[in-house]
Amino acid sequence: MLVMFMLQPVKGTRDFVGEEAVMLQFLIDVIRRTFERYGFTPLETPAFEYLELLTKKGGKDIEKEIYSFKDKSGRELGLRFDLTVPMARVVASKKLKKPFKRYQIGKVWRYDQPQAARWREFMQADIDIVGSSSPLADLECLKPVVDIFKELGLDFFIKINNRKILESVVRSFGIEDITTAFRIIDKQDKIGWDEVKKELKKNFPDKDIDALIDTIKKNDLSVLLLDEEGEQGLSELKELLDLGKIVGIDDFLRIDMSLVRGLEYYTGNVFEIMAGLDVSVGGGGRYDNLTEVLGGEKEPATGISIGVYRLLKVLQDKKFVPPKKKKVYVAPIGETRAEALQILNKLRANNITSEIDVMNRSLSKQLEATDADIVVIVGPKDLSNKQVTIRDMKTGKEKKAAIDKIIEEVMKA
Amino acid sequence: MLVMFMLQPVKGTRDFVGEEAVMLQFLIDVIRRTFERYGFTPLETPAFEYLELLTKKGGKDIEKEIYSFKDKSGRELGLRFDLTVPMARVVASKKLKKPFKRYQIGKVWRYDQPQAARWREFMQADIDIVGSSSPLADLECLKPVVDIFKELGLDFFIKINNRKILESVVRSFGIEDITTAFRIIDKQDKIGWDEVKKELKKNFPDKDIDALIDTIKKNDLSVLLLDEEGEQGLSELKELLDLGKIVGIDDFLRIDMSLVRGLEYYTGNVFEIMAGLDVSVGGGGRYDNLTEVLGGEKEPATGISIGVYRLLKVLQDKKFVPPKKKKVYVAPIGETRAEALQILNKLRANNITSEIDVMNRSLSKQLEATDADIVVIVGPKDLSNKQVTIRDMKTGKEKKAAIDKIIEEVMKA
C-alpha cells in the first residue's frame, strides 16, 4: 500500500471533483464563449518548451520558478509559466495573418510558495492581439474581460497604467536601472510601500526616493513632468480611456500609477483585474518587443490573462451556483431493463441528459441515490399499457405518460 | 537571437493554430457534450503526480516512457501518462458516492518514439464508471463513444474481448506467466503474428505456441475449452453483446480474441476503437483492482479513452470541415470609429461574433483581409440617415439598414 500522502495531489496542485469541477467547467465555458464572440480563435501549445526559450524574457523572478527537467534524450525543458511566451514563439516562427487574435485557456506551472489562492499549477485564460499598436487593440482585450465579470455578477474594477509613464517618472528622479526599480515597486502589493521605499533606498542611495514614492502615490497624471516617451505613454493611456468611455466600460477602469505587472516583457499600457477591493484575478498589457526578443520579427502585441482558479475561488466565496441542466433518471422495475434502455436511448438521442442504474439496486435505493430532476419509472404493468410513470423529484408528483410521447412529456415535466 | 529550432515545439509535441485549433476545439466539444448527455461529470487533476504513484500499476513498458523529474524540493514527480491512474487516485483517496461517473479530457505525456499519428504529448478524452461490476457499466461507456463516431460521420468499429477468456486460453496451454504472454501478444499490431510467435517460443520454449496462436487467430468463442474464470469472462462478454443489441450498437462491435490492451491494469471486458480498417483511436476496459493497488478500497471500475489527436487526424484525412459560426465585421469609414464601436457593442451584446479593424487600414484593405460573412460599413453619410450598409461577403450584395434594426438585419443577412 502506498503511503497516504501519495494519494493526495502534489503540493501546490489541485483536484477538481464533483460540483467544483462542474463550476470550473462552467467558468471556462463563459470565458471561452465571450472570447469567441470577440473574434478570438483558439491556440493550443504544449505544456513544456525548451528551457532556453522560457528563460529568455520572463525576468529573473520567473526563472527561479520554472519546473525544469531533462527528457530522456537530454533536452533541457521546462513547463510553461504562462501562455504568452509560447504564443509569442508561435508568432515568431510562423507567417501568420495579422492581426493575430487568439485565445488560449490552459494550465501553467510556477514553483512558487503555495499560499491562499496561489497554486503551483493553475489555469490561465488569455487573449492577445498581435500586429496592432493601437490602443483599440488594448480595448478589444479589456472589453471581453469586463463582459465576463459582468456576466458573473461580480464586483470588480481594472487598474490601468502605462509603463512609459512610470518609466519617465522614475527616470526623472535620476534612476536609470528601470528593471530593478520596477521589480521593487511591483512588490508593493505584497510588502507595502514602506518596504518598497527601504529597498529602493538601498538600491539607489543617492536618489530622492521619498519624493518618487510620493509622486507615484499621489496618482495624479495631470501634475507630472514627463519626457517625450512619458508623454507618448500618457497619450496611449488617454486614448484607451476615451475608447473605454465609448464602449461604456469607463466605470470599471481606474488609473493606478504604481501598476507595473511583474513580467519584464510589458512595454506600454498595463492592466490588472481586481475582484472586490483587493483580489487580483488577472492582468496583462502591451508587449511590443517579445516576438523580436524570441528571434522573430518585431510585432506590436497586447493581451490580458484571467487567473481561472483565482476567479473560481472568488465565485465560490460568493456561493455562486452555476446553472444546472435538467437530468433524467430511468429506473426499470423487475425485468424491464431492455425497455428501459430503449427509452434511455431515445432521451439521449433527443439531447436530454439521462442515466440508468448500473448498480442493480432496488427502486427505492435508486430514487434515494439519484440527483436527477425527473425519474422515468419503467414497470411491467405500465409497459403492458405502453406507458411509463414520470416522477418529478422536487414535488414527488407522478404522472403516467405514453412511451411514444416520452420526449414531450419529459420536456414538460 | 535563438536558434530556430527553439521556435519549434519540442520534438513529439504540437501547436494547433487557426483552422486546426478550431477543429480540435470542435472535436472536444462534441465529445464533452456527448459524455455529459450520458450523465458523466467532469474531473480535473494535475499534470504531474508522485512518480511512485505512476509506476505502481502501469506496467514496465509505460514506466520507461514517463517524463520524470524532481521539483526544487527534491520531490520525485512524473507527468501523467494517462487519465486513469490519477482518477483512480482520486477515488482511492476520497469517499465518493458510487457509481462515480466522470469524464476527463486532458493531455498526457509519454516519452515514446514519435511516428505518424503518435506524439509524446497527446490528448485523451476518458469516461469511467467506478463502483459497478455490471457489463451494463461497460455498455454505458461504449455507447457514448459510438454516438460520437456516428455524429462525426466516421467509418469505425470497436474490437471487444475479455481478458479472462484470453487468460484461460493461455493457461490451457500451460503458460502461467500471463503478464509476459500478454505483453508479447499485445505487440501483434506492431510486429505481426510471426514475431509474436518467435517471442513467445523464446519465453515459453516447452509450450505449443503454434497451437495457441492458431486458437487465438481462429477467433471462435464457441470452440474454446475454458476454465471457470474463462467461462466467467465469456458470460461478461456475452452480456455486453446482448446489451449492445438492445441499444442498437451491435453492428459496431467485433469480437477479437487477440485484444489485450497494453496497460496491465485491465481485468475483464476490453475494447479498442478502430477508425477505418486499422487505425486505433482509443480503447479501454474493465479494471477492478486498480484503486486497491493504489491503496484505496477495492472498487470495480470500467472506462474508455478516446485518443483526441488521433481522431483529429482521421477527420483531417477525411477533409472534415467543422460547422462555422456567422461572423460580422464592422468597418468604419472616416471619423466614425465611435459609432462603429457602439454598433459592435450591440452585436456582441446580442451574442453575434463580431470584430473591428485594429490596424487602421483602408476600407478596401479591411474587406480584403476579413474572413467574416457579413461586413457592416459605417460611413458618415449613412450615419446622417441613421443607417449603415450591410454587405454580404459571399455574394457581394449590399443593402442599407437602420441602426436601430441592426441586429435583425444582420441575423437575416
Side-chain angles (χ1 to χ4, degrees):
Chain A
M1 199 194 256
L2 285 177
V3 279
M4 277 310 285
F5 82 87
M6 294 227 173
L7 293 183
Q8 298 307 312
V10 176
K11 189 174 177 190
T13 71
R14 317 171 59 187
D15 296 323
F16 294 86
V17 192
E19 283 307 311
E20 198 173 27
V22 171
M23 181 98 147
L24 175 64
Q25 196 55 64
F26 163 79
L27 185 53
I28 292 170
D29 286 345
V30 168
I31 293 171
R32 210 185 105 202
R33 205 172 48 232
T34 309
F35 288 169
E36 290 184 349
R37 196 166 64 231
Y38 279 75
F40 292 88
T41 55
L43 174 72
E44 185 62 40
T45 66
F48 49 75
E49 300 278 354
Y50 289 105
L51 187 59
E52 196 179 334
L53 181 93
L54 296 178
T55 55
K56 199 78 190 171
K57 194 57 185 171
K60 275 187 199 160
D61 289 341
I62 212 67
E63 214 172 308
K64 285 183 288 180
E65 295 180 0
I66 296 174
Y67 279 90
S68 59
F69 56 95
K70 284 188 185 173
D71 76 5
K72 293 181 203 292
S73 303
R75 289 182 191 88
E76 300 230 38
L77 308 176
L79 296 179
R80 65 188 180 202
F81 61 84
D82 75 0
L83 301 174
T84 309
V85 171
M87 188 274 291
R89 172 182 61 72
V90 170
V91 169
S93 70
K94 285 186 158 64
K95 286 253 164 286
L96 297 170
K97 216 174 102 179
K98 303 289 155 28
F100 178 60
K101 290 175 63 178
R102 83 89 176 78
Y103 74 85
Q104 186 168 4
I105 303 174
K107 289 179 175 180
V108 301
W109 296 268
R110 295 184 192 179
Y111 191 78
D112 199 356
Q113 212 39 51
Q115 54 195 68
R118 225 183 168 85
W119 299 274
R120 287 178 176 169
E121 174 183 87
F122 54 103
M123 189 178 282
Q124 293 191 326
D126 281 27
I127 39 175
D128 291 82
I129 301 180
V130 179
S132 164
S133 54
S134 165
L136 180 54
D138 298 335
L139 179 83
E140 285 284 281
C141 293
L142 281 179
K143 180 66 170 44
V145 169
V146 170
D147 279 15
I148 289 163
F149 280 73
K150 281 167 83 172
E151 179 173 345
L152 296 171
L154 293 173
D155 286 327
F156 72 100
F157 66 96
I158 300 175
K159 292 183 190 171
I160 63 171
N161 191 21
N162 189 296
R163 277 222 189 186
K164 290 173 191 150
I165 299 175
L166 189 59
E167 270 184 51
S168 178
V169 169
V170 168
R171 254 196 316 269
S172 74
F173 283 84
I175 294 174
E176 292 300 324
D177 183 357
I178 302 288
T179 306
T180 300
F182 273 22
R183 197 178 307 141
I184 297 167
I185 295 170
D186 186 43
K187 291 198 270 185
Q188 177 264 320
D189 275 358
K190 290 185 197 164
I191 64 176
W193 280 118
D194 286 347
E195 288 300 315
V196 166
K197 256 189 207 175
K198 261 190 223 163
E199 273 201 50
L200 283 173
K201 283 176 181 172
K202 210 167 64 187
N203 278 273
F204 308 102
D206 57 335
K207 309 299 176 196
D208 188 353
I209 299 299
D210 289 328
L212 168 63
I213 298 298
D214 279 352
T215 307
I216 294 174
K217 283 171 76 176
K218 198 173 283 163
N219 201 33
D220 185 351
L221 294 177
S222 66
V223 300
L224 300 177
L225 288 173
L226 298 170
D227 56 17
E228 200 180 328
E229 212 204 325
E231 286 295 343
Q232 168 65 22
L234 186 61
S235 112
E236 291 166 6
L237 188 62
K238 282 189 172 158
E239 187 175 348
L240 177 58
L241 285 167
D242 287 344
L243 289 167
K245 202 164 281 176
I246 291 171
V247 299
I249 65 166
D250 46 326
D251 281 351
F252 301 103
L253 305 181
R254 292 194 203 163
I255 291 168
D256 183 335
M257 265 183 57
S258 72
L259 182 66
V260 175
R261 296 291 304 159
L263 300 171
E264 281 176 21
Y265 50 62
Y266 293 111
T267 55
N269 285 335
V270 286
F271 334 115
E272 181 151 22
I273 315 162
M274 307 298 290
L277 280 180
D278 52 4
V279 182
S280 169
V281 286
R286 178 162 285 286
Y287 52 98
D288 288 344
N289 303 324
L290 187 56
T291 55
E292 187 185 35
V293 168
L294 297 184
E297 280 173 49
K298 180 165 172 154
E299 290 285 358
T302 186
I304 198 162
S305 174
I306 298 174
V308 179
Y309 289 3
R310 289 272 189 98
L311 181 52
L312 182 72
K313 187 170 183 311
V314 170
L315 289 170
Q316 288 173 323
D317 289 347
K318 286 196 54 166
K319 313 274 177 233
F320 182 94
V321 179
K324 198 181 165 254
K325 256 195 202 164
K326 186 186 276 191
K327 188 162 143 185
V328 178
Y329 191 89
V330 179
I333 306 180
E335 301 299 306
T336 63
R337 194 164 78 164
E339 290 82 0
L341 280 171
Q342 276 153 1
I343 288 168
L344 190 66
N345 243 9
K346 217 168 157 182
L347 291 169
R348 287 166 171 173
N350 283 277
N351 245 324
I352 296 167
T353 300
S354 39
E355 291 191 298
I356 193 165
D357 177 49
V358 291
M359 311 283 282
N360 221 354
R361 290 177 291 202
S362 68
L363 178 63
S364 62
K365 284 261 169 64
Q366 290 181 49
L367 292 180
E368 211 181 287
T370 185
D371 61 346
D373 307 286
I374 294 159
V375 173
V376 176
I377 301 167
V378 186
K381 207 173 150 197
D382 278 347
L383 277 185
S384 66
N385 296 319
K386 290 184 178 144
Q387 59 185 17
V388 292
T389 299
I390 293 182
R391 182 189 177 102
D392 183 320
M393 293 302 284
K394 233 179 241 157
T395 63
K397 273 188 196 157
E398 295 189 350
K399 63 174 181 182
K400 303 286 179 191
I403 291 179
D404 56 8
K405 294 258 155 57
I406 186 81
I407 302 302
E408 299 89 300
E409 293 293 337
V410 162
M411 296 284 214
K412 267 194 289 179
Chain B
M1 198 194 257
L2 285 177
V3 278
M4 278 310 285
F5 81 87
M6 295 226 173
L7 293 182
Q8 298 307 312
V10 176
K11 189 175 176 189
T13 71
R14 316 171 59 186
D15 296 323
F16 293 86
V17 192
E19 284 307 311
E20 199 173 26
V22 171
M23 181 97 149
L24 175 64
Q25 196 55 64
F26 163 79
L27 185 53
I28 292 170
D29 286 345
V30 168
I31 293 171
R32 211 185 105 203
R33 204 172 48 231
T34 308
F35 288 170
E36 290 184 349
R37 196 166 65 230
Y38 279 75
F40 292 89
T41 55
L43 174 72
E44 185 62 41
T45 66
F48 49 75
E49 300 278 353
Y50 289 105
L51 187 59
E52 196 179 334
L53 180 93
L54 295 178
T55 55
K56 198 78 189 171
K57 194 56 186 172
K60 275 187 198 161
D61 288 341
I62 213 67
E63 214 172 306
K64 284 182 288 180
E65 295 179 0
I66 296 174
Y67 279 89
S68 59
F69 56 96
K70 284 188 186 175
D71 76 5
K72 293 180 203 291
S73 302
R75 289 182 192 87
E76 300 231 39
L77 308 176
L79 296 178
R80 65 187 180 204
F81 61 83
D82 75 0
L83 301 174
T84 309
V85 171
M87 188 274 290
R89 172 182 61 71
V90 170
V91 169
S93 70
K94 285 186 158 63
K95 286 253 163 285
L96 297 169
K97 217 175 100 180
K98 303 289 155 29
F100 177 61
K101 291 176 62 178
R102 84 89 177 77
Y103 73 85
Q104 186 168 3
I105 303 173
K107 289 179 175 180
V108 301
W109 297 267
R110 295 184 192 179
Y111 191 78
D112 198 357
Q113 212 38 51
Q115 54 195 69
R118 224 181 170 86
W119 299 275
R120 288 178 175 169
E121 174 182 87
F122 54 103
M123 189 178 283
Q124 293 192 326
D126 280 27
I127 39 176
D128 290 83
I129 300 180
V130 179
S132 164
S133 54
S134 165
L136 180 54
D138 298 335
L139 179 82
E140 284 284 281
C141 292
L142 281 179
K143 180 66 170 47
V145 169
V146 170
D147 278 15
I148 289 163
F149 280 73
K150 281 168 84 173
E151 179 173 347
L152 296 171
L154 293 173
D155 286 327
F156 72 100
F157 66 96
I158 299 175
K159 292 183 190 172
I160 63 172
N161 191 21
N162 189 296
R163 276 221 190 187
K164 289 172 191 151
I165 299 174
L166 189 59
E167 269 184 52
S168 177
V169 169
V170 168
R171 256 197 314 270
S172 73
F173 283 84
I175 295 174
E176 292 299 324
D177 182 357
I178 302 288
T179 306
T180 300
F182 273 22
R183 196 178 308 141
I184 296 167
I185 294 170
D186 186 43
K187 291 197 269 186
Q188 176 263 321
D189 274 359
K190 290 184 197 165
I191 64 176
W193 280 117
D194 286 347
E195 288 300 316
V196 166
K197 257 189 207 176
K198 260 190 224 163
E199 273 201 50
L200 283 172
K201 283 176 180 172
K202 210 166 64 188
N203 279 274
F204 308 102
D206 57 335
K207 310 298 176 195
D208 188 353
I209 299 300
D210 289 328
L212 168 62
I213 297 299
D214 279 352
T215 306
I216 295 173
K217 284 172 75 176
K218 198 173 283 165
N219 201 33
D220 185 350
L221 294 177
S222 65
V223 300
L224 301 177
L225 288 173
L226 299 170
D227 56 17
E228 201 179 328
E229 212 204 325
E231 286 295 342
Q232 168 65 23
L234 186 60
S235 113
E236 290 166 8
L237 188 63
K238 281 190 172 158
E239 187 175 349
L240 177 58
L241 285 167
D242 287 344
L243 289 166
K245 201 164 281 178
I246 291 171
V247 299
I249 65 167
D250 47 325
D251 281 351
F252 301 104
L253 304 181
R254 293 195 202 162
I255 291 168
D256 184 335
M257 266 182 57
S258 72
L259 183 65
V260 176
R261 296 291 304 161
L263 300 170
E264 281 176 21
Y265 50 61
Y266 293 110
T267 55
N269 285 335
V270 286
F271 334 115
E272 180 152 21
I273 315 162
M274 307 298 290
L277 280 180
D278 53 4
V279 183
S280 169
V281 286
R286 179 162 285 285
Y287 52 99
D288 287 344
N289 303 324
L290 187 56
T291 55
E292 188 185 33
V293 169
L294 297 184
E297 280 173 50
K298 180 165 172 155
E299 290 285 359
T302 185
I304 198 162
S305 174
I306 298 174
V308 179
Y309 289 2
R310 288 273 190 99
L311 181 51
L312 182 72
K313 187 169 183 312
V314 171
L315 289 170
Q316 288 173 323
D317 289 347
K318 286 196 54 166
K319 313 274 177 232
F320 182 93
V321 179
K324 198 181 165 255
K325 256 196 202 163
K326 187 186 277 193
K327 188 161 144 187
V328 178
Y329 191 89
V330 179
I333 306 180
E335 301 299 305
T336 63
R337 195 165 76 164
E339 291 81 0
L341 280 171
Q342 276 152 0
I343 289 168
L344 190 66
N345 244 9
K346 217 167 157 183
L347 291 169
R348 287 165 171 172
N350 284 277
N351 245 325
I352 296 167
T353 300
S354 39
E355 291 191 298
I356 193 166
D357 177 50
V358 291
M359 311 283 283
N360 221 354
R361 290 177 291 202
S362 68
L363 178 64
S364 62
K365 284 260 169 64
Q366 290 181 49
L367 292 181
E368 210 181 287
T370 185
D371 61 346
D373 307 287
I374 294 159
V375 173
V376 176
I377 301 167
V378 185
K381 208 173 151 197
D382 279 346
L383 277 184
S384 65
N385 297 319
K386 290 182 178 148
Q387 59 184 17
V388 292
T389 299
I390 293 182
R391 183 188 175 101
D392 182 320
M393 293 302 283
K394 232 179 241 156
T395 64
K397 273 187 197 158
E398 295 189 350
K399 63 174 181 183
K400 303 286 178 191
I403 290 179
D404 56 8
K405 294 260 156 57
I406 186 82
I407 301 302
E408 299 89 301
E409 294 292 337
V410 162
M411 295 283 214
K412 267 194 290 180

